[in-house]
Amino acid sequence: MSGVPCVHAIAVVKDRREGWMKWCSPYFTVNAYRLAYEGYITPIIDVDDWGQPDRLVLPPPKQKAPGRPKTQRIRGEDEPVKEKKKQMICSKCKATGHNKRTCDARNDPTTVYKRK
């Protein structure tokens, strides 16, 4: 209906070794594209020459999107980003920035830890 064959039709035409242009609308060819844009389009230089629209076009009405609503709002580009990240605390050496899996003290034989 659109003038472009679907992928299934293209597969059948390809198996028959026929030209696919026979099954495609002539409006989707390169020549038709060139003919459509061969004329010279004069640009409008000044904004005042644009004219006023006949009627105001409004956006479509808002509808609630399906699914769970977002927990945080999307901030604008000019708003500062708040970063509240919890620091990791190592349970072996009590230092911040790493955990007990990546602690350097776990490989140190001189460090002795007491079990609770």
Side-chain angles (χ1 to χ4, degrees):
M1 292 180 68
S2 66
V4 179
C6 68
V7 292
H8 304 96
I10 291 173
V12 170
V13 170
K14 187 177 177 183
D15 285 343
R16 290 183 180 179
R17 297 184 182 209
E18 295 180 19
W20 62 272
M21 289 295 293
K22 182 169 95 174
W23 302 97
C24 188
S25 174
Y27 295 111
F28 293 103
T29 61
V30 175
N31 291 335
Y33 180 80
R34 287 183 180 153
L35 284 173
Y37 291 102
E38 78 177 355
Y40 183 71
I41 300 172
T42 57
I44 299 175
I45 298 172
D46 194 11
V47 177
D48 297 332
D49 295 337
W50 287 2
Q52 296 296 322
D54 296 336
R55 59 183 173 161
L56 184 64
V57 179
L58 298 173
K62 255 188 169 178
Q63 294 179 352
K64 185 178 177 185
R68 186 174 177 165
K70 293 186 177 186
T71 56
Q72 291 182 344
R73 69 179 180 89
I74 299 171
R75 297 188 181 276
E77 293 179 7
D78 57 342
E79 290 186 75
V81 178
K82 293 182 180 179
E83 292 187 33
K84 289 186 177 180
K85 291 186 177 179
K86 189 176 179 182
Q87 285 283 341
M88 283 192 287
I89 299 174
C90 179
S91 60
K92 291 196 177 264
C93 66
K94 306 297 183 211
T96 59
H98 64 276
N99 56 14
K100 69 179 181 180
R101 270 180 113 182
T102 59
C103 184
D104 291 333
R106 69 186 165 103
N107 295 329
D108 189 13
T110 59
T111 308
V112 177
Y113 298 104
K114 293 181 182 177
R115 294 182 121 195
K116 290 183 180 180

